Amino acid sequence: MLRPLYDWAMRIAAGRYALPALAGAAMLEATFPFVPPDVMLAPMVLARRERAWLYAAVCTLCSVTGGCIGYALGFFASNLALKFLIATGHPDALQAFQKVFAQWGLAVILVKGLTPVPYMLVTIASGLAKFSLPVFIGASLVTRGGRYFLVAALLQHPHAKSFVDKHLNVLAVVGVIVIVALYVGLHFAMKG
Protein backbone atom coordinates (compact mmCIF):
# COMPACT_ATOMS: atom_id res chain seq x y z
CA MET A 1 0.00 0.00 0.00
CA LEU A 2 2.87 2.38 0.74
CA ARG A 3 4.83 1.48 -2.38
CA PRO A 4 2.63 3.40 -4.90
CA LEU A 5 2.64 6.46 -2.62
CA TYR A 6 6.41 6.22 -2.20
CA ASP A 7 6.95 5.85 -5.97
CA TRP A 8 4.69 8.86 -6.61
CA ALA A 9 6.59 10.95 -4.03
CA MET A 10 9.90 10.00 -5.66
CA ARG A 11 8.64 11.12 -9.10
CA ILE A 12 7.42 14.45 -7.66
CA ALA A 13 10.67 14.92 -5.72
CA ALA A 14 12.71 14.71 -8.91
CA GLY A 15 10.39 17.16 -10.73
CA ARG A 16 11.03 20.79 -11.58
CA TYR A 17 8.56 22.19 -9.01
CA ALA A 18 9.85 20.16 -6.07
CA LEU A 19 11.89 22.96 -4.49
CA PRO A 20 9.10 25.59 -4.53
CA ALA A 21 6.66 22.97 -3.23
CA LEU A 22 9.07 22.13 -0.40
CA ALA A 23 9.42 25.83 0.47
CA GLY A 24 5.65 26.29 0.48
CA ALA A 25 5.05 23.19 2.58
CA ALA A 26 7.65 24.30 5.14
CA MET A 27 6.03 27.74 5.47
CA LEU A 28 2.50 26.39 5.65
CA GLU A 29 3.28 23.73 8.26
CA ALA A 30 4.59 26.44 10.61
CA THR A 31 1.39 28.46 10.33
CA PHE A 32 -1.51 26.12 9.55
CA PRO A 33 -2.29 22.45 10.16
CA PHE A 34 -0.42 20.86 7.28
CA VAL A 35 1.71 17.85 6.45
CA PRO A 36 5.26 18.18 7.83
CA PRO A 37 7.79 19.15 5.13
CA ASP A 38 9.81 16.03 5.99
CA VAL A 39 7.33 14.14 3.79
CA MET A 40 8.72 16.09 0.82
CA LEU A 41 12.27 16.59 2.08
CA ALA A 42 13.01 12.87 2.45
CA PRO A 43 12.11 11.79 -1.10
CA MET A 44 13.77 14.89 -2.53
CA VAL A 45 17.07 14.02 -0.81
CA LEU A 46 16.74 10.39 -1.88
CA ALA A 47 16.08 11.47 -5.47
CA ARG A 48 18.90 14.06 -5.63
CA ARG A 49 21.48 13.44 -2.91
CA GLU A 50 23.81 16.15 -4.24
CA ARG A 51 21.19 18.79 -3.35
CA ALA A 52 20.55 17.54 0.22
CA TRP A 53 22.07 20.58 1.96
CA LEU A 54 20.22 23.01 -0.30
CA TYR A 55 16.94 21.25 0.44
CA ALA A 56 17.60 21.27 4.19
CA ALA A 57 18.53 24.98 4.11
CA VAL A 58 15.41 25.94 2.13
CA CYS A 59 13.27 23.84 4.43
CA THR A 60 14.79 25.48 7.52
CA LEU A 61 14.57 29.07 6.32
CA CYS A 62 11.02 28.69 5.02
CA SER A 63 9.89 26.90 8.18
CA VAL A 64 11.27 29.70 10.37
CA THR A 65 9.73 32.32 8.07
CA GLY A 66 6.39 30.54 8.38
CA GLY A 67 7.02 30.38 12.13
CA CYS A 68 7.34 34.17 12.21
CA ILE A 69 3.98 34.43 10.44
CA GLY A 70 2.46 32.06 13.02
CA TYR A 71 4.08 34.11 15.78
CA ALA A 72 2.51 37.29 14.35
CA LEU A 73 -0.90 35.60 14.17
CA GLY A 74 -0.65 34.65 17.84
CA PHE A 75 0.73 38.04 18.84
CA PHE A 76 -2.06 39.98 17.18
CA ALA A 77 -4.72 37.49 18.34
CA SER A 78 -3.81 38.01 22.00
CA ASN A 79 -6.29 40.89 22.37
CA LEU A 80 -9.03 38.73 20.90
CA ALA A 81 -8.06 35.86 23.17
CA LEU A 82 -8.15 38.18 26.18
CA LYS A 83 -11.65 39.40 25.27
CA PHE A 84 -12.80 35.79 24.90
CA LEU A 85 -11.28 34.79 28.25
CA ILE A 86 -12.88 37.77 29.99
CA ALA A 87 -16.25 36.88 28.45
CA THR A 88 -15.93 33.28 29.64
CA GLY A 89 -14.97 34.26 33.17
CA HIS A 90 -11.20 33.67 32.96
CA PRO A 91 -9.75 37.20 32.83
CA ASP A 92 -6.35 36.20 34.26
CA ALA A 93 -5.81 33.12 32.08
CA LEU A 94 -3.87 34.87 29.30
CA GLN A 95 -1.57 36.60 31.77
CA ALA A 96 -0.97 33.30 33.58
CA PHE A 97 -0.21 31.60 30.25
CA GLN A 98 2.21 34.37 29.32
CA LYS A 99 3.97 34.05 32.68
CA VAL A 100 4.38 30.27 32.33
CA PHE A 101 5.51 30.60 28.70
CA ALA A 102 8.07 33.26 29.67
CA GLN A 103 9.59 30.69 32.02
CA TRP A 104 9.31 27.55 29.88
CA GLY A 105 8.91 28.91 26.34
CA LEU A 106 12.48 28.28 25.22
CA ALA A 107 12.28 24.66 26.38
CA VAL A 108 8.92 24.23 24.61
CA ILE A 109 10.31 25.65 21.37
CA LEU A 110 13.46 23.52 21.56
CA VAL A 111 11.60 20.28 22.29
CA LYS A 112 8.66 20.72 19.96
CA GLY A 113 10.77 22.19 17.15
CA LEU A 114 12.69 18.92 16.85
CA THR A 115 9.70 16.60 17.03
CA PRO A 116 6.88 15.83 14.60
CA VAL A 117 4.43 17.71 16.87
CA PRO A 118 2.89 20.43 14.67
CA TYR A 119 5.23 23.43 14.76
CA MET A 120 2.18 25.66 14.25
CA LEU A 121 1.21 25.07 17.91
CA VAL A 122 4.57 26.47 19.05
CA THR A 123 4.57 29.44 16.69
CA ILE A 124 1.10 30.69 17.57
CA ALA A 125 1.58 29.99 21.30
CA SER A 126 4.86 31.93 21.26
CA GLY A 127 3.16 34.95 19.71
CA LEU A 128 0.16 34.67 22.02
CA ALA A 129 2.54 34.63 24.99
CA LYS A 130 4.45 37.59 23.52
CA PHE A 131 7.61 35.54 23.96
CA SER A 132 10.90 37.18 22.93
CA LEU A 133 10.90 37.25 19.12
CA PRO A 134 14.73 37.07 18.76
CA VAL A 135 14.87 34.07 21.13
CA PHE A 136 11.97 32.45 19.25
CA ILE A 137 13.74 32.91 15.90
CA GLY A 138 17.08 31.68 17.25
CA ALA A 139 15.59 28.60 18.89
CA SER A 140 13.55 27.88 15.77
CA LEU A 141 16.62 28.10 13.54
CA VAL A 142 18.49 25.68 15.81
CA THR A 143 15.70 23.13 16.17
CA ARG A 144 14.20 23.25 12.69
CA GLY A 145 17.64 23.36 11.09
CA GLY A 146 18.84 20.52 13.30
CA ARG A 147 15.88 18.40 12.32
CA TYR A 148 16.01 19.04 8.58
CA PHE A 149 19.79 18.82 8.29
CA LEU A 150 19.71 15.55 10.24
CA VAL A 151 17.15 14.14 7.80
CA ALA A 152 19.29 15.33 4.88
CA ALA A 153 22.47 13.87 6.39
CA LEU A 154 20.90 10.48 7.07
CA LEU A 155 19.28 10.20 3.65
CA GLN A 156 22.28 11.53 1.74
CA HIS A 157 24.22 8.35 2.48
CA PRO A 158 24.92 6.46 -0.79
CA HIS A 159 23.02 3.38 0.39
CA ALA A 160 20.05 5.22 1.93
CA LYS A 161 17.77 4.90 -1.12
CA SER A 162 18.34 1.16 -1.51
CA PHE A 163 17.81 0.70 2.24
CA VAL A 164 14.54 2.67 2.17
CA ASP A 165 13.41 0.85 -0.98
CA LYS A 166 14.03 -2.52 0.66
CA HIS A 167 12.61 -1.74 4.13
CA LEU A 168 9.87 0.83 3.37
CA ASN A 169 7.07 -0.90 5.29
CA VAL A 170 9.20 -1.62 8.36
CA LEU A 171 10.48 1.98 8.40
CA ALA A 172 6.91 3.29 8.18
CA VAL A 173 5.79 1.17 11.14
CA VAL A 174 8.84 2.14 13.19
CA GLY A 175 8.26 5.79 12.29
CA VAL A 176 4.68 5.68 13.52
CA ILE A 177 5.75 3.96 16.75
CA VAL A 178 8.45 6.59 17.36
CA ILE A 179 6.04 9.46 16.71
CA VAL A 180 3.43 8.00 19.08
CA ALA A 181 6.07 7.32 21.74
CA LEU A 182 7.44 10.87 21.46
CA TYR A 183 3.96 12.34 21.68
CA VAL A 184 3.05 10.26 24.73
CA GLY A 185 6.40 10.96 26.39
CA LEU A 186 6.10 14.70 25.79
CA HIS A 187 2.51 14.68 26.99
CA PHE A 188 3.46 13.11 30.32
CA ALA A 189 6.65 15.17 30.64
CA MET A 190 4.71 18.41 30.23
CA LYS A 191 2.13 17.31 32.84
CA GLY A 192 4.74 16.21 35.38
Side-chain angles (χ1 to χ4, degrees):
M1 181 166 138
L2 285 175
R3 183 62 56 186
L5 182 61
Y6 173 73
D7 292 339
W8 174 80
M10 290 301 292
R11 282 192 305 277
I12 297 297
R16 66 193 291 205
Y17 298 110
L19 191 58
L22 176 66
M27 283 184 87
L28 280 174
E29 185 260 344
T31 312
F32 301 102
F34 198 70
V35 175
D38 312 67
V39 172
M40 292 186 66
L41 177 62
M44 288 174 67
V45 171
L46 289 172
R48 305 235 2 232
R49 290 182 316 120
E50 74 281 1
R51 299 187 82 186
W53 305 125
L54 170 67
Y55 295 151
V58 166
C59 209
T60 300
L61 293 176
C62 291
S63 180
V64 174
T65 300
C68 290
I69 294 168
Y71 181 99
L73 289 172
F75 186 88
F76 292 112
S78 62
N79 287 337
L80 251 152
L82 181 58
K83 288 178 186 175
F84 173 77
L85 292 168
I86 290 170
T88 58
H90 301 92
D92 298 327
L94 182 60
Q95 188 176 18
F97 170 73
Q98 290 172 335
K99 185 178 176 185
V100 168
F101 207 89
Q103 182 180 4
W104 295 101
L106 179 60
V108 168
I109 295 166
L110 290 174
V111 170
K112 297 221 183 220
L114 285 170
T115 65
V117 172
Y119 182 49
M120 170 201 80
L121 299 175
V122 173
T123 66
I124 293 173
S126 296
L128 193 61
K130 298 188 177 181
F131 189 71
S132 167
L133 182 60
V135 173
F136 168 78
I137 292 171
S140 294
L141 282 169
V142 168
T143 60
R144 303 310 273 181
R147 176 175 160 181
Y148 299 135
F149 278 92
L150 178 63
V151 168
L154 290 173
L155 296 177
Q156 188 188 34
H157 189 278
H159 302 292
K161 185 170 182 333
S162 61
F163 182 82
V164 171
D165 287 345
K166 185 176 180 181
H167 302 289
L168 180 64
N169 290 332
V170 172
L171 290 170
V173 170
V174 169
V176 169
I177 291 170
V178 168
I179 289 170
V180 170
L182 281 171
Y183 178 78
V184 170
L186 285 172
H187 177 74
F188 286 112
M190 297 301 263
K191 280 191 168 186

